[in-house]
Amino acid sequence: MPHVKKAILPVGGLGTRFLPATKAMPKEMLPIVDKPLIQYAVEEARAAGIEEFIFVTGRGKTAIEDHFDRSWELEQTLQSRGKTALLEQALAFMPPPGQIAYTRQQEPLGLGHAVWCARHSIGNEPFAVLLADDLIQAESPCLAQMVDAHAELGGNMVAVMDVPRDETQRYGILDVVEEDGRLVRAKGLVEKPSPEDAPSTLSIIGRYILQPEVLQELDRQEVGAGGEIQLTDAMARTIGRLPFNGYRFEGRRYDCGDKAGFLEATVAFALARDDLGEAMRDIIARNGGAS
Ligand code: G1P
């Protein structure tokens, strides 16, 4: 199987659920503890061997470009103050020059449309898609787990997990045929079905490894659930022609597009940190314990 080298990161969304915080700041720059959501996604992608990052941005997202650029004033200040550890940290997460590209989604026409906007940077090879809102805490980064499984299987692969039935209308849902360990074979996919209509409760989480055929399907610009061009529909149309696998990843996923999920991620990531775990446990104890 060809090595997965490229990743698309759709970051064009308005983030209305986090207003007023997101009025002048991209939602992907909201920090979990001290790191922006988008940086978690980029680090996960790098850990999976991704070498080219294509951001699909929109108006008001320049802070993301600045974040992945050198900041000479900051670097000089840190250097002159002898803060070398901080300086190294500030530089280490940046992909090397030329490995990041930006394109704009000019209209909010859906996730499928956002991915399609990056088609010319992909060409004819498999690629990953990461949605920064889905933050995954795992021993081995989620995309790396998928890249390993994909090396054997090829085709299209999506991260999946079970959700409560009353939440199916927030996700792409698999019409499951059979399960084999972490792998799930599906005969169809439905975007945001109501709980009554959902073929299962196994939902797509924002990590994908896709074949260029999905981009060709997106060329049709077909409108789906919510009046948007859906990535789920384009993948569904390739089932039968290309292998399709859901991958039950190891790890815990936090929905950082939702306020409660965002808060939970903040607590979980702070608890897991050597420098903050104890302080966080004290905070929880002082506030009535973690129930
Ligand atoms: C998108 C996808 C959906 C997927 C979800 C995962 O929805 O369209 O299939 O289950 O991400 O977070 P969105 O959250 O953009 O509405």
Side-chain angles (χ1 to χ4, degrees), residues 9-16 18 21-32 34-42 55-65 67-68 105 111 114 130-135 256-257 262:
L9 296 113
V11 292
L14 284 177
T16 48
F18 281 87
T22 49
K23 183 162 176 269
M25 181 177 77
K27 65 171 175 163
E28 297 79 10
M29 289 300 293
L30 292 172
I32 295 296
D34 53 8
K35 195 190 283 188
L37 278 169
I38 190 64
Q39 189 180 327
Y40 286 97
V42 166
F55 285 75
V56 183
T57 69
R59 287 165 58 81
K61 299 281 181 171
T62 48
I64 296 177
E65 295 182 38
H67 187 68
F68 291 101
Q105 184 186 23
L111 177 61
L130 295 99
L131 307 184
D133 277 359
D134 283 326
L135 181 58
C256 293
F262 184 88

Side-chain angles (χ1 to χ4, degrees), residues 108-122:
L109 298 180
L111 177 61
H113 179 258
V115 168
W116 177 81
C117 286
R119 65 199 178 284
H120 292 303
S121 303
I122 296 298

Side-chain angles (χ1 to χ4, degrees), residues 17 27 111-112 131 133-134 170-173 190-192 203-208 228 230-232 235 253 255:
R17 275 195 267 174
K27 65 171 175 163
L111 177 61
L131 307 184
D133 277 359
D134 283 326
R170 285 167 49 186
Y171 299 97
I173 302 288
V190 191
E191 180 68 8
K192 302 196 168 76
S203 80
I204 301 172
I205 297 306
R207 302 289 183 277
Y208 308 74
E228 296 188 335
Q230 298 292 354
L231 183 57
T232 301
M235 291 187 301
R253 171 260 187 176
D255 178 5

